[in-house]
């Protein structure tokens, strides 16, 4: 969620924390990749014990997609940290699309469980919704500022 919202938080509420968060975004992406690698190892160990037949196809596709996107984003972050500013595969919007897809799969896993009564599900579900609202608020502000700038340019 920090990676997903870092730039939006910086743009909406510039301050020490939000500026730091946006500046450290690539390092946070690498930390996400590292932590999810240990998570993946644990998942594999779990299914080794309980049996692979318990793994649902929707979980495999959704989770597998998230892992591939996380590793692709981490690769792009490593390139940026080494001084290469070009987007992954030359696709400038790849990162935004990847982050929204990861958010969507995360939200689909936790938002419906908010009412389950388990605090961890409620916490992650509410965090997912809040992150989405922050991104939408930033996008709305950007469009409003852009429209104002176009109006001023047209009048001038």
């Amino acid at each position: 969620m920090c990676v997903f919202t870092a730039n939006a938080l910086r743009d909406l509420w510039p301050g020490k924390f939000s500026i730091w968060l946006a500046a450290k975004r690539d390092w946070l992406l690498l930390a996400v990749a590292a932590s999810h690698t240990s998570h993946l190892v644990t998942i594999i160990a779990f299914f080794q014990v309980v049996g692979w037949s318990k793994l649902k196809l929707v979980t495999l596709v959704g989770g597998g997609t998230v892992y591939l996107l996380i590793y692709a984003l981490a690769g792009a972050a490593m390139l940026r940290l080494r001084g290469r500013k070009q987007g992954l595969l030359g696709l400038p919007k790849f990162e935004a699309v990847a982050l929204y897809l990861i958010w969507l799969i995360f939200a689909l896993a936790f938002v419906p469980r908010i009412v389950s009564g388990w605090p961890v599900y409620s916490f992650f579900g509410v965090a997912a919704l809040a992150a989405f609202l922050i991104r939408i608020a930033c996008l709305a502000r950007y469009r409003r500022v852009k429209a104002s700038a176009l109006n001023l340019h047209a009048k001038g």
Side-chain angles (χ1 to χ4, degrees):
M1 292 299 127
C2 289
V3 172
F4 184 66
T5 59
N7 290 343
L9 285 170
R10 180 202 58 215
D11 293 348
L12 288 170
W13 301 290
K16 286 183 182 182
F17 177 71
S18 62
I19 292 168
W20 175 86
L21 194 63
K24 300 298 181 188
R25 203 163 165 264
D26 287 335
W27 289 106
L28 291 170
L29 270 168
L30 295 177
V32 167
S35 69
H36 275 73
T37 298
S38 66
H39 187 251
L40 180 60
V41 169
T42 305
I43 291 169
I44 291 169
F46 173 77
F47 284 108
Q48 283 289 104
V49 171
V50 300
W52 290 97
S53 63
K54 303 276 187 196
L55 179 60
K56 296 177 185 174
L57 182 62
V58 68
T59 302
L60 179 64
V61 171
T65 300
V66 166
Y67 279 100
L68 291 174
L69 291 171
I70 287 171
Y71 293 136
L73 289 171
M78 286 178 18
L79 289 174
R80 280 192 301 274
L81 288 168
R82 291 181 176 197
R84 297 182 185 158
K85 299 296 180 188
Q86 183 176 344
L88 189 67
L89 304 174
L91 303 172
K93 298 294 181 185
F94 171 78
E95 189 169 316
V97 171
L99 287 171
Y100 273 105
L101 284 172
I102 293 169
W103 173 85
L104 178 64
I105 293 169
F106 185 88
L108 288 173
F110 288 101
V111 170
R113 296 177 177 173
I114 288 174
V115 295
S116 72
W118 285 68
V120 71
Y121 290 140
S122 298
F123 173 78
F124 286 126
V126 169
L129 293 173
F132 185 70
L133 291 174
I134 289 168
R135 290 284 297 239
I136 295 303
C138 186
L139 181 62
R141 181 172 181 245
Y142 171 77
R143 287 186 176 168
R144 202 170 42 252
V145 168
K146 187 176 177 181
S148 294
L150 288 174
N151 287 339
L152 286 175
H153 181 68
K155 290 178 183 178

